[in-house]
Amino acid sequence: MSALSDRLLPWYRANRRALPWRRPDFGAWGILVSEFMLQQTPVTRVIPRLAQWLERWPHPADLATAPPAEAVREWANLGYPRRALWLHRAAVEIVERHDGTVPPDVDALLQLTGIGDYTARAVAVFAYGRRAPVVDTNTRRVIARAVHGRSQPGPAAKRDLDEMSALMPIDDDDAAVFNAAAMELGALVCIARTPRCEQCPLAEVCAWRAAGYPDTGDARPKQARYEGSDRQARGAVLRILRDADTDVPLTLIIPDWGDGAQRDRALLTLAADGLIEIDGDGARLPR
Ligand code: SF4
């Protein structure tokens, strides 16, 4: 094993969080849904919503036969609600193309709506034990620091996958664990602002630590403010429509919103994204 993996694997086995999607019986569908939810939302908010989702739609076919409006409604306040529609479309595609079973191959997963490089590989590796590099933002930060001596990773790129492939242990089972371990280290120890190097299994081999923690810059895109943003207005519109059983008159949708142009933009962009339907003087979630 490499210097990284022979330190990381035992650390992970002793310290990993008991997250629902890590249970051996969780299944590929549950893992796929969890990965959709975790793309932009913290673990603690995902766990209860995921449990509810899987209780209601335990298989792709269950979600595929539900109206898209129900997916948007059940998504509730997880944020970035287009993921709910994409997940619904992916469920339909899984039924149509794969007989209702989440496919195990990265290439087939990449053909599904809403699934990119990260999610396709995460499902193939964590649900089916396939050998592939799984690289999220936590993994990229660990590699940037421990291997390259940089304070933060550069922009995400295809070369991240090649690099992770080169670091993975030869044994396929160990490689799967190594993927999860690098992510977990970035989530719990090698965190963005104040890494907990005194708890880190890589401390003795970390290039950034050895170099004295130089500030090599931070090219990560800044997260836009939510307060006052179009996202906030879109969230307010969706909240009203999620709670309604029938069409809601446009005049009753956030009528007192401070910025009228922003309110109109929220309605128009939600309709363009397929998250709502505007019909005459009313609006509703998609049927
Ligand atoms: S020693 Fe510190 S900076 Fe290096 S990988 Fe560990 S937590 Fe990150």
Side-chain angles (χ1 to χ4, degrees):
M1 279 197 280
S2 73
L4 290 196
S5 62
D6 63 5
R7 286 170 168 80
L8 254 185
L9 298 192
W11 172 85
Y12 177 72
R13 292 190 170 110
N15 293 284
R16 67 186 203 145
R17 291 167 292 175
L19 299 171
W21 44 90
R22 289 181 177 159
R23 289 201 308 262
D25 61 346
F26 205 66
W29 171 240
I31 289 175
L32 186 146
V33 175
S34 73
E35 292 294 350
F36 265 79
M37 292 184 172
L38 289 164
Q39 279 167 23
Q40 312 266 4
T41 310
V43 164
T44 47
R45 280 174 55 206
V46 164
I47 288 175
R49 185 58 49 190
L50 174 66
Q52 215 163 304
W53 187 285
L54 292 176
E55 197 178 320
R56 185 167 180 189
W57 298 306
H59 305 285
D62 302 314
L63 177 59
T65 51
E70 287 308 300
V72 175
R73 196 168 270 129
E74 192 66 54
W75 197 259
N77 64 346
L78 286 178
Y80 297 99
R82 265 182 293 181
R83 291 178 293 166
L85 276 190
W86 292 340
L87 184 49
H88 184 273
R89 276 182 213 145
V92 172
E93 291 159 359
I94 290 167
V95 169
E96 289 174 354
R97 298 176 200 164
H98 303 287
D99 246 352
T101 301
V102 176
D105 300 322
V106 170
D107 287 344
L109 286 158
L110 281 169
Q111 299 303 314
L112 300 174
T113 297
I115 294 199
D117 279 336
Y118 167 78
T119 306
R121 285 167 178 79
V123 172
V125 171
F126 300 137
Y128 292 112
R130 296 291 168 103
R131 183 182 182 86
V134 185
V135 180
D136 75 347
T137 184
N138 289 318
T139 300
R140 294 174 58 248
R141 185 169 56 255
V142 169
I143 292 175
R145 289 173 175 168
V147 178
H148 298 296
R150 294 201 309 263
S151 45
Q152 297 292 346
K158 288 278 184 198
R159 68 172 175 276
D160 298 336
L161 298 176
D162 297 336
E163 191 163 31
M164 189 62 179
S165 286
L167 292 169
M168 279 160 39
I170 293 166
D171 180 84
D172 287 353
D173 293 340
D174 284 348
V177 178
F178 183 72
N179 276 309
M183 289 165 60
E184 191 77 336
L185 189 77
L188 298 181
V189 176
C190 193
I191 51 181
R193 286 199 182 170
T194 48
R196 299 167 177 143
C197 303
E198 69 288 353
Q199 302 169 20
C200 181
L202 305 184
E204 285 175 21
V205 295
C206 174
W208 191 47
R209 183 166 180 264
Y213 305 110
D215 182 357
T216 60
D218 187 352
R220 291 172 301 162
K222 298 278 176 282
Q223 176 86 14
R225 262 173 66 93
Y226 182 72
E227 211 58 36
S229 67
D230 283 13
R231 273 187 63 214
Q232 188 185 29
R234 285 164 56 101
V237 171
L238 271 186
R239 217 167 12 255
I240 289 172
L241 298 188
R242 271 202 308 263
D243 291 343
D245 293 330
T246 56
D247 286 16
V248 179
L250 292 175
T251 50
L252 296 183
I253 298 177
I254 55 171
D256 301 326
W257 196 256
D259 181 342
Q262 187 178 57
R263 169 196 174 275
D264 293 346
R265 205 159 53 237
L267 283 163
L268 287 175
T269 58
L270 285 167
D273 288 344
L275 281 162
I276 68 170
E277 293 172 351
I278 299 176
D279 201 355
D281 294 333
R284 59 174 172 260
L285 294 182
R287 288 193 177 120

